[in-house]
Amino acid sequence: MKLHEIYHGFEVHEITPLPEQNATLYRLVYQKNGCELVWLKNEEKNKLFSIAFKTVPTDDTGVFHILEHSVLCGSKKYPVKEPFVEMIKSSMNTFLNAITFSDKTVYPIASRNETDFFNLMQVYLDAVFSPAIYENPNIFYQEGWHYDLHDPEEIPSYKGVVFNEMKGAFSSVDQQIERGILRMLFPDTCYGFESGGDPKKIPELSFEQFLSAHRNYYHPSNAKIYVDGQVPFERVLTILDERLSSYEVAPQPQIPYQPPVCSEERVDYYEIGEGEVPDQKAQMVLGKLLCDYTDRKKVFALMVLGDYLTGSNEAPLKRAILQKGLGQDVIFSVMDGIAQPYYQIRVSNTEYDRRDLIKNVLRETARSLLEKGLDQEELNAGIDQLEFRVREGDEPQGLWRNINALSFWLYGGNPAEPLQYDRLFRSLREAVHTTYFEELLRYCLLDEDYRVTLYLLPSKIKGQEDARAEMDALAAKKAAWSHKELENILEQNRRLQAWQSQPDSPEALATLPALPLSEVSPVPEQIPTESLLWGDVPVYYHRVSESGVVHFSLYFSLANCPLEYLGALSFLTRLLGYLPTKRHSVLELQQEMKRSTGFLDYNVVAFPVLGEKDQCKPYFMVTCSALKSRLPDAVILLHEILSDTLFEGEASTSAIHENLLQCQEMIRQSITENGHRYAYMRALSHFSAPAWVKEQTKGFTFYQYLSRFVSDFERQIHEFQRFANWMKETQWVAERMTVSVTADEDYEDLRALPEILKKESMPFQQTR
């Protein structure tokens, strides 16, 4: 493929080698209507196709979220009610979904099978450009909203997939914080609106406005198509040419630049349960615009600085807030992936009348840090860990690269820029030796111009008031309907119900492409695995090239662990690395973790026993990823954490209590936002042993354990510390260990693990 040559209507505008990605980026433009296409040519077997549209909300009706759902409810070529669901049944996809962002809607698919890839690609193209929404209003009523009314004497209610989804989302305090800060920071642009839809505003969206949004935004001139991996690109272009050739050029929506806003404070309320105590439940959030999307150095530097300030309970800003009893947690977040990134600092579970004290602590902490200077080793360790995480990415890697490319491309920038890191991280390391990070600290904590502050206060009556307001509004609407309007709504519900209950015809289902069995190998893909012994320790070695990274997991059998201590064990996984050891303070330990590991995590897992649903094999699992050059340090550090963590003493007891309160609050909020998942987990726990273990360690039962621990901390802490020491001294030992390694070669440093963890295993003596 050559620069400025034309292939199937696409002109090649740019060819950029990306050695960091082992790839070449081709940027093409369809001549007839300006549709842009990026192909990241690489050796990735997991092929990805994505089409994204810049969708710029002008209100809170959530029209683009409703469209995201609706276009996947059948199309001209594939007249099936839920092609999305049907395709899953006959596909080998590795990703199949759609995502509504604050300024874009993305439709990605991925598959390792070429036939499957093209099947999914064609279904999605027909869905976005020729959806059934124009012929079938029921799709809008089902996915968006409608008056649910079947008896003319009753008061109607609102129903709709997106309406219900956003009603649940708006019960989340996190969602309310994000929504509130965005409204304050972006009063003049699309980011000030709720792209997902505000339940109070969704019913203002008409069917005609819904169709108009599709006509205006779902056009090739406004599309960004991304292809990643080993694909026959000529065939991709042929399909796209056939699909795009009937469209002329159309205007593209723009996102205006938001000038910095005046400093402002606002108070709002969020719902808490009737039985909850409102004391110390206020949320305080400070936010400020940072830069535009092109200043990646500032965005990444602030991520490093935010971790420096609040990354652990011993980080300086969080420590200062916790020590003075001004809040339960402090989180510093950088929000990027939009035209103008911003940051926010959240103090959780405080009191409204402490707001001035908190602001004083921000100022005092900043001045103190500036006076003595930031710790350069800590900053460099933070940069090391951020670089590891950025380069490692998430699966599917193609989607991660796609979203990153869009963070420039959507706003007119070069899509190759956010896929390159060498120069960026080099400049961050150089900045450590200048005053760059200090100036950034001054901007965030001392420069209070253009900074907004949101206070969310707990309310036991907000939910009731909202529900009553909705009922009153619906009653008023019904009272205003004429007899004919009422009959139309009743008829609309009958039609919707009839459509929903009618199955797809065999002819409609036959239009969907299915992956033939002949295309599917009867043998699963083999990952080369060697079974070894390091002394008496079983080892499974997966020899896969991982670009300079070694991944390994340690599994310690929990056959000795009393079942009633599984909750304590789950909480224990959240303490490792956040308590001091014999050699290091928590701050020093955190610095070592950032420097030596890219990823380090602890978990409780349970594997089923074949054919025995009432049995399982539980393990305490340690997962670690490290650069080859850092592997010796990572092994030494892991040994220190597993063997020398201090669970007793005043400092450790205080740290355990702080972490316990934070963990309980995190799980409480998660239950509030995802109650259905916790209900599912609890129900499933009655049917299999692995599911029961999951409920004890991650479900509502775990939350109950945390709540009992919080309410009776002074008595229970000693038993918990005794249990933690037993785990450390007799369970995290070589004789209970199985090792899994994913790397390209054998590493002597890992072979040292059985020796350094050689301790005697003993059963736990329970107190009575």
Side-chain angles (χ1 to χ4, degrees), residues 161-184:
V161 174
V162 169
F163 177 84
N164 292 339
E165 181 182 323
M166 294 309 297
K167 209 162 187 182
F170 268 57
S171 68
S172 157
V173 65
D174 294 338
Q175 176 81 13
Q176 289 187 57
I177 285 171
E178 182 183 358
R179 184 77 260 121
I181 284 291
L182 283 168
R183 283 193 191 284
M184 296 172 76

Side-chain angles (χ1 to χ4, degrees), residues 43-48 92-95 110-117 120 230 395 519 525 527:
E43 297 303 310
E44 177 67 67
K45 293 180 181 177
N46 195 12
K47 308 160 186 62
L48 181 125
M92 297 284 287
N93 73 84
T94 53
F95 192 88
S111 180
R112 298 171 72 88
N113 181 287
E114 187 177 301
T115 301
D116 194 34
F117 170 82
L120 295 169
Q230 288 182 356
E395 289 293 341
E519 290 274 350
E525 183 178 357
I527 297 174

Side-chain angles (χ1 to χ4, degrees), residues 441-470:
L441 174 62
R442 186 174 284 107
Y443 175 79
C444 292
L445 297 190
L446 293 180
D447 183 356
E448 299 177 24
D449 291 338
Y450 313 117
R451 191 174 75 187
V452 302
T453 309
L454 173 68
Y455 304 98
L456 270 184
L457 309 184
S459 168
K460 292 186 177 184
I461 61 172
K462 182 179 187 299
Q464 298 168 6
E465 289 176 341
D466 289 347
R468 191 180 305 114
E470 183 178 299

Side-chain angles (χ1 to χ4, degrees), residues 555-693:
Y555 298 85
F556 296 95
S557 171
L558 293 174
N560 278 357
C561 182
L563 296 179
E564 59 266 38
Y565 283 81
L566 285 174
L569 182 59
S570 182
F571 175 54
L572 180 56
T573 66
R574 298 156 196 259
L575 293 175
L576 295 173
Y578 295 92
L579 296 179
T581 66
K582 291 178 182 177
R583 292 179 53 206
H584 291 107
S585 68
V586 176
L587 269 178
E588 292 167 341
L589 191 64
Q590 289 282 310
Q591 191 177 103
E592 286 296 320
M593 288 167 60
K594 292 174 188 175
R595 184 184 296 113
S596 303
T597 67
F599 180 81
L600 182 56
D601 191 41
Y602 310 89
N603 202 357
V604 178
V605 295
F607 297 108
V609 175
L610 187 63
E612 301 290 342
K613 68 175 183 177
D614 295 331
Q615 296 182 31
C616 66
K617 294 182 178 181
Y619 291 88
F620 178 89
M621 179 182 177
V622 183
T623 307
C624 184
S625 299
L627 295 171
K628 291 179 185 178
S629 59
R630 296 290 192 182
L631 187 58
D633 298 327
V635 170
I636 292 169
L637 177 67
L638 185 54
H639 172 245
E640 179 181 348
I641 292 171
L642 292 178
S643 299
D644 295 330
T645 293
L646 300 175
F647 294 105
E648 295 177 306
E650 187 178 343
S652 292
T653 300
S654 175
I656 290 170
H657 189 244
E658 287 176 350
N659 279 279
L660 176 64
L661 292 172
Q662 291 166 354
C663 183
Q664 184 206 26
E665 177 63 16
M666 181 182 70
I667 302 295
R668 188 191 69 81
Q669 289 189 22
S670 179
I671 292 170
T672 301
E673 297 168 24
N674 304 287
H676 61 294
R677 294 180 184 173
Y678 284 86
Y680 174 76
M681 205 186 309
R682 195 174 181 91
L684 203 62
S685 69
H686 295 280
F687 294 93
S688 77
W692 184 86
V693 171

Side-chain angles (χ1 to χ4, degrees), residues 671-720:
I671 292 170
T672 301
E673 297 168 24
N674 304 287
H676 61 294
R677 294 180 184 173
Y678 284 86
Y680 174 76
M681 205 186 309
R682 195 174 181 91
L684 203 62
S685 69
H686 295 280
F687 294 93
S688 77
W692 184 86
V693 171
K694 187 174 182 180
E695 168 65 18
Q696 303 300 308
T697 57
K698 297 177 178 65
F700 186 71
T701 303
F702 176 53
Y703 174 72
Q704 290 176 309
Y705 162 76
L706 294 173
S707 299
R708 289 194 301 271
F709 197 174
V710 167
S711 62
D712 193 18
F713 182 79
E714 294 300 325
R715 190 177 67 83
Q716 293 196 29
I717 181 58
H718 304 295
E719 181 68 2
F720 175 80

